[in-house]
Amino acid sequence: MYIKKLKLTNFRSYDELELELSKNINVFVGNNAEGKTNIIESIYLSCITKSYRTVKDIECIKFDKDFFRINHKFIDENKNIEVEVYLDKLNKKQIKENEI
C-alpha cells in the first residue's frame, strides 16, 4: 500500500497543500517550521485517527480557521482507496473511506 495523493486544508501551517507522491521514496526537505512534520502528522492522523503530537486533535486546525480536512488517496493491490478526515472547532470528527 502506498499514498498516491495527499491534500490538506486548514491543517496546522497549511491553508491548502496538494501533493502527488511517488510509489517508491519521497523526501521532504526544508528549513525548520516549514511544514515537513505536519505532512507526516497528517498521514499518521488519517491512518490511526489520532495525532501523535497532541492529545487534542482540535489543535491541528490552522489558527483562525473553523475546520481541517485531510484527503489521502491510497493504492493497495491495484485498488484505489480514498480517506477523508474532517474535524471542526466543535470537535466533531468525521472519517470516510471509499474504494474508488
Side-chain angles (χ1 to χ4, degrees):
M1 176 182 282
Y2 68 95
I3 299 172
K4 180 175 178 138
K5 190 173 185 179
L6 160 71
K7 184 176 180 183
L8 305 178
T9 307
N10 300 331
F11 187 82
R12 293 277 188 188
S13 61
Y14 292 105
D15 286 321
E16 289 202 26
L17 173 71
E18 194 164 335
L19 295 174
E20 294 276 340
L21 300 173
S22 168
K23 179 179 180 180
N24 298 313
I25 295 174
N26 296 278
V27 178
F28 302 108
V29 178
N31 293 322
N32 288 342
E34 288 189 341
K36 301 176 300 294
T37 303
N38 297 342
I39 294 169
I40 302 302
E41 180 182 20
S42 75
I43 295 168
Y44 185 93
L45 199 148
S46 70
C47 294
I48 307 298
T49 71
K50 294 193 176 286
S51 170
Y52 67 89
R53 292 174 63 193
T54 181
V55 175
K56 299 176 185 176
D57 289 339
I58 200 165
E59 294 176 7
C60 296
I61 298 174
K62 184 172 173 67
F63 183 73
D64 279 346
K65 301 295 182 179
D66 294 328
F67 70 94
F68 76 68
R69 179 175 284 117
I70 301 168
N71 296 89
H72 290 147
K73 184 175 182 182
F74 294 90
I75 306 295
D76 184 22
E77 297 177 6
N78 297 321
K79 291 188 277 185
N80 293 325
I81 301 167
E82 197 166 296
V83 174
E84 178 180 282
V85 180
Y86 174 90
L87 181 78
D88 63 26
K89 282 202 171 183
L90 299 174
N91 212 23
K92 180 180 176 189
K93 186 187 293 185
Q94 297 176 0
I95 301 169
K96 299 176 185 175
E97 177 184 332
N98 299 315
E99 186 175 323
I100 305 169

